[in-house]
């Protein structure tokens, strides 16, 4: 009973975080500045990592945590790339 309640709580938390991530898409589309868009993309990526980890814990699938770790590393590299692109003013090297 307690394990089922915990599992359901983790799944509800993942769903709530998913809704917040969907709401952040508005900031990515509208802006108003490039920095706002970059931060919103980074927050969405981090939220997806947490959602995958919560789903893995809630469903009892340990493999999801590996996927969350790899996605977190890719999100970090995306942040570095976007930062470099913004410093260069959008010009490729």
């Amino acid at each position: 009973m307690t394990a089922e309640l915990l599992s359901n709580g983790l799944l509800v938390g993942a769903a709530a975080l998913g809704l917040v991530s969907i709401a952040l898409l508005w900031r990515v589309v509208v802006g108003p500045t490039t920095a706002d868009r970059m931060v919103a993309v980074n927050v969405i990526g981090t939220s997806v990592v947490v959602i995958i980890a919560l789903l893995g814990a809630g469903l009892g699938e340990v493999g999801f945590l590996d996927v969350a770790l790899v996605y977190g590393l890719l999100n970090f590299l995306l942040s570095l790339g976007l930062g470099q692109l913004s410093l260069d003013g959008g010009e490729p090297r």
Side-chain angles (χ1 to χ4, degrees):
M1 168 92 173
T2 304
E4 183 178 328
L5 185 63
L6 178 64
S7 176
N8 288 339
L10 291 172
L11 295 177
V12 167
L17 199 53
L19 291 175
V20 170
S21 296
I22 290 171
L24 275 171
L25 286 175
W26 176 256
R27 183 55 57 194
V28 173
V29 173
V30 173
T33 65
T34 306
D36 288 333
R37 289 185 173 112
M38 287 175 32
V39 169
V41 167
N42 195 8
V43 170
I44 289 172
T46 304
S47 297
V48 169
V49 171
V50 174
I51 288 169
I52 294 171
L54 286 174
L55 286 175
L59 297 175
E61 295 288 332
V62 214
F64 280 27
L65 298 177
D66 294 335
V67 173
L69 182 63
V70 170
Y71 191 80
L73 292 172
L74 289 174
N75 186 37
F76 174 70
L77 291 176
L78 173 73
S79 298
L80 289 179
L82 284 175
Q84 184 67 38
L85 186 67
S86 72
L87 286 177
D88 293 341
E91 295 292 324
R93 290 186 172 203

